[in-house]
Every structure is written in structure tokens, then in C-alpha cells.
Amino acid sequence: MSKIKTKFVCQECGSEASKWLGRCPGCGEWNTMAEEVAVKKSEARLTAAPAPKPRPINMVDTSAMPRLLTGISEFDRVIGGGIVPGALLLIGGDPGIGKSTLLLQVAAGIANTYGPVLYISGEESAAQIKIRAERLGKISNNLLIFTENNLETIVLEALQQKPAFVIIDSIQTMFSPEIPSAPGSVGQVRESTGKLMRFAKESGIPTAIIGHVTKDGNIAGPRLLEHMVDVVLYFEGERSYAFRVLRAIKNRFGSTNESGIFSMEEHGLAEVANPSGLLLAERPQGAPGSVVLAYLEGVRSLLIEIQALVSTTCFGMPRRMAAGLDYNRLILLLAVLEKRVGLMLANQDAYVNAVGGFKIAEPAADLPVALAIVSSFRNIAVDSSTVVMGEVGLTGEVRMISRAEARITEAAALGFKRFVIPAGNLSGLKLPRTAGLDIIGVASVSEAMEAVFV
């Protein structure tokens, strides 16, 4: 009997070694090397169809590949206008954020239009899935529930049923009998994803898989997992807020700049047609420290209220706190206001919040944050019809931002009349001069303060 060969595989990055190592040579993490049996991967084709031959690209027929519309316009827009036949989608997100709920609603939409959908669950029982479907009102005879973890059985059942769409919930619970390691290990995740990819391409059945995330927010398993699939979607949001954002990190069939916004309601995820209106619905009028930002979420413009509270500290060292914004960026802006504008903030506590639970990372939020701090410090309110955007440099200058026209158009549709933007964006602005719109270009924070605090 031949000796069983083993190898040690890093559970973080998938790096392999012939012996155990305390620290992975690939990613540098400690105590992540796990022993697995070394087996030869099977590359057998799932179907008996002949191997394809090389042909000119202009001879490839794409007319028989219409996209599947899910009936959820936000989801369809993010993935490029619908699901492409034979595509392999990966959806990741924090536990309890709504990944299974979203795909169950997608499955119901496809089942009502295109035929049977096979929902495979390795985490929940069929009764649990039915309870959720009843709560969502998505009961359909074309929605087939299959509770199984063995990937060989799953592929054979999918080939027999020939569904319009397949959902795997989740990839970390699936296992292939060819790999003796436990489900969720690097080897199992890699082999299972490879088999699902071959199944989707050879059968033409689009497949969506749910992936767990690590404490850092990345999809668990080797990075190779994201390279193998066609579309990588992240479902994000704060549990204490109703808003959820669906982002495309990778998309072979469309743009990665799109994002879909949902609201978690009692009966499932609801599309948010006008998120800016909801975010500003409870905005206080005439309150110091409140400034409206035209924020770019992918290619979509959103209006978000930035709030700041500045008060005299009771401690030896002032406190700084940022919610929804980068803390280091807040410290930088406070230093710019002290050095370039002359505000004495060394003995002031500063708290900044982006209302709505959104995490803002783009530079255009610099100027609204700075003006909100000044507004709270001086106890002077900013005009409620003013929208501010711009990046602030260390010398106090205001730099250009991207897609200023789209931001102004979105704000003008909601009734805003006054806009403070970087002076560099004025020359290339092709927005028609609609009556009542006052667009002011500023080159520095001091000019922005003069324009806002009149």
C-alpha cells in the first residue's frame, strides 16, 4: 500500500509547504498552516460534449445569451443589466447582513419568469428556508430547495433538473469527496469553486455562491476564489441601520462602478429609488454643524448630511471621533483649520458623523467636513439649500473632484439651489445655467468659508 502524502496549506492565503511552519511564507500570518492530504485534482469534464475547437472571434455566436432579469432593478443594474447564462457569481458580506435574503428574492424573481431555480443550502433546513420565503412572500412552485453538502451529488442533481439558476448557500459548507480535508478549508473551497465553475460554463446554467467573510471583511478562503468567478459582489451595511449597499468589486460583464441601495424592511429587502430624499428627510433646519455633501457611490450621486459637534474639552487632551469617516482624515482637516485658517481647536472636542450609516471614503467629503466643524465651532448655521463638495490639501487649497456635473444634477433635482465646488471644476462644467442655480467656485478653505458664512 502506497504511503499517503500530505502537505501543509495556509488557511488564509492558500500557500503550500512540505512541512509545518509557524509563520506562512506567503502572507506572513502565524499558526495558519494546516495539514491536508495531497491528492491529484480531477479535471474530468462534466458532460460528454466534444471539446471545443479554436475559431475566429467574429464567428462566436452571442445571440443565444440573453441576460436573465431578476425583477430587482437595483440588482440587475449592479451586475450589468441582468445575469449572463453560464456566469459564476460570488456574493460576500458580514453575517446577518441579508445575503441569503437577497438571493432568495432573486431566486423568486427568476423562478416566476424563466422556470425552476435550484436553491442549495448547506446551513439551513428546508423548513427554515420555507419560513423565510413565507415571510418574504416569495413562495413559488418553481423554487426548488435542496439541502446537501456533497458537491458531486449537487452537480448531478443540477444536471438532471436543468434549472434556470442555481444558488449555493454557502461555499464554505460544501465539500468534494476527492479532497479529504474538512469543509471550509482552503483545499475544499478551491476545489468546490473549480467544479462549480466548470459546471456553469459547460451547462450554461448561471450559478451564484455565497461566501463568508473574515474579520477583516474579505471573503474567506484563498484569494484565488475571487479570480476564478466572473462577478464578485459585496453586500455591506451597518446592522443598526436599515440601508444596505450592493457593490460590484469584479464584473466581467459590466462596470464595477455601479452600486445598488436597499432597505431592510419587515418583509425583506426593498429597493430604494430615492436614497437622497430618505437620507435628508429628518435633517434639522438652521442647526449649526450641518452641511450637505454630494457623495459619489460608484457612479451614483447621493446627498448625505455631514454633522459636526465642537465643544470645549473637560480633559487634558481633546477627543476626536469620526463615525462613517476616516479618523486620520479628520485629524488632518483639524490641523489644516488650525494652521491655515487660524481656528483654535487645540482645546476643543470634535465629533463628526455621516448620517445614514454610510462609510464615506472619497476626498470630496473634505470640504463639507471642514465647513461643518467651522459651523459648529462658530455656532453659525449653513444655508439649508447649499451643497458642498471638494478635496482639501495640506496647504488649505481646495482641489478638483470627479463627476461634479452628476452631483449638481442630483442635488438640483431635490431642490438645492446653491453649490460650493472647487474652482478647478468650474471651467469644465457643462451644466446648463438653469435659473436659480448659484454655483460658486472656491480655491481655498478660507474662500469657502466666505462663500458659506455670509
Side-chain angles (χ1 to χ4, degrees):
M1 184 176 180
S2 60
K3 183 179 178 181
I4 298 177
K5 295 183 178 180
T6 61
K7 60 182 178 180
F8 292 87
V9 181
C10 175
Q11 301 303 301
E12 292 290 335
C13 67
S15 179
E16 299 180 1
S18 58
K19 61 180 181 179
W20 184 85
L21 300 172
R23 186 178 186 182
C24 172
C27 62
E29 294 292 332
W30 291 88
N31 298 324
T32 58
M33 305 297 289
E35 187 177 13
E36 296 182 5
V37 178
V39 295
K40 187 176 181 180
K41 294 182 180 180
S42 174
E43 297 293 339
R45 297 178 61 81
L46 296 173
T47 63
K53 299 295 183 182
R55 50 181 168 167
I57 191 171
N58 58 356
M59 300 296 294
V60 177
D61 183 20
T62 59
S63 60
M65 295 182 63
R67 291 178 181 259
L68 304 181
L69 298 178
T70 65
I72 304 175
S73 58
E74 291 287 298
F75 185 89
D76 292 338
R77 184 169 52 80
V78 170
I79 61 178
I83 300 175
V84 175
L88 184 62
L89 296 82
L90 174 63
I91 294 94
D94 294 332
I97 205 68
K99 302 183 296 297
S100 299
T101 300
L102 175 64
L103 284 185
L104 190 59
Q105 294 182 212
V106 169
I110 294 178
N112 293 332
T113 307
Y114 300 98
V117 173
L118 186 59
Y119 190 104
I120 299 150
S121 176
E123 300 178 346
E124 298 177 288
S125 66
Q128 291 174 319
I129 299 173
K130 182 181 179 181
I131 291 173
R132 183 191 294 123
E134 289 177 342
R135 177 173 59 85
L136 300 177
K138 301 298 181 182
I139 297 295
S140 172
N141 291 332
N142 284 332
L143 184 55
L144 309 178
I145 305 300
F146 189 35
T147 55
E148 180 59 58
N149 299 90
N150 191 329
L151 203 61
E152 301 291 341
T153 305
I154 290 171
V155 170
L156 292 176
E157 186 67 27
L159 290 174
Q160 181 179 358
Q161 294 287 343
K162 291 185 171 59
F165 190 46
V166 174
I167 297 174
I168 305 292
D169 185 9
S170 65
I171 190 63
Q172 276 79 15
T173 61
M174 301 297 152
F175 73 92
S176 174
E178 299 177 4
I179 306 294
S181 58
S185 64
V186 170
Q188 284 286 6
V189 171
R190 183 167 47 200
E191 180 68 14
S192 299
T193 305
K195 287 190 175 183
L196 289 172
M197 181 184 65
R198 293 192 295 273
F199 160 75
K201 301 304 178 187
E202 294 174 15
S203 65
I205 299 174
T207 304
I209 57 179
I210 294 177
H212 295 166
V213 297
T214 63
K215 61 182 180 180
D216 297 325
N218 299 319
I219 295 179
R223 201 68 178 179
L224 178 65
L225 180 65
E226 299 184 30
H227 291 283
M228 295 171 67
V229 301
D230 298 312
V231 180
V232 178
L233 303 174
Y234 273 82
F235 203 41
E236 304 172 350
E238 294 289 339
R239 284 192 177 187
S240 55
Y241 291 91
F243 289 106
R244 303 287 188 270
V245 180
L246 182 68
R247 290 189 177 92
I249 307 301
K250 172 187 177 183
N251 191 356
R252 289 175 178 163
F253 314 115
S255 172
T256 57
N257 293 324
E258 293 288 352
S259 61
I261 299 178
F262 298 85
S263 177
M264 180 63 77
E265 307 292 345
E266 182 180 355
H267 300 290
L269 291 165
E271 301 176 66
V272 180
N274 184 17
S276 298
L278 289 178
L279 290 170
L280 299 178
E282 298 178 302
R283 183 192 174 204
Q285 299 294 322
S290 174
V291 177
V292 176
L293 158 70
Y295 171 60
L296 210 60
E297 178 66 48
V299 295
R300 166 187 279 186
S301 297
L302 300 179
L303 298 183
I304 297 178
E305 180 188 0
I306 302 295
Q307 291 184 342
L309 177 62
V310 178
S311 62
T312 304
T313 183
C314 299
F315 307 98
M317 177 143 334
R319 298 189 62 186
R320 278 84 168 90
M321 187 176 296
L325 297 158
D326 185 17
Y327 173 80
N328 293 324
R329 199 69 182 172
L330 171 61
I331 300 299
L332 183 148
L333 292 172
L334 290 171
V336 170
L337 290 175
E338 285 195 11
K339 182 69 175 181
R340 305 300 177 187
V341 182
L343 296 183
M344 298 301 294
L345 300 173
N347 63 340
Q348 302 289 320
D349 291 334
Y351 308 92
V352 180
N353 176 38
V355 178
F358 284 86
K359 295 181 180 179
I360 300 174
E362 71 159 342
D366 290 351
L367 190 57
V369 170
L371 293 181
I373 293 172
V374 175
S375 173
S376 178
F377 179 70
R378 293 184 173 178
N379 201 30
I380 302 176
V382 178
D383 182 25
S384 60
S385 63
T386 301
V387 174
V388 182
M389 62 197 88
E391 179 183 359
V392 176
L394 291 179
T395 61
E397 81 279 11
V398 177
R399 295 178 174 269
M400 294 176 59
I401 58 173
S402 61
R403 299 181 61 85
E405 298 175 19
R407 301 173 196 252
I408 295 175
T409 302
E410 173 70 16
L414 291 176
F416 289 89
K417 303 295 183 182
R418 202 159 181 264
F419 303 89
V420 177
I421 68 172
N425 287 106
L426 274 179
S427 59
L429 206 61
K430 299 179 181 179
L431 195 73
R433 295 289 179 174
T434 308
L437 285 188
D438 183 17
I439 303 176
I440 304 171
V442 295
S444 65
V445 177
S446 299
E447 291 185 18
M449 292 170 57
E450 293 176 1
V452 171
F453 304 111
V454 292

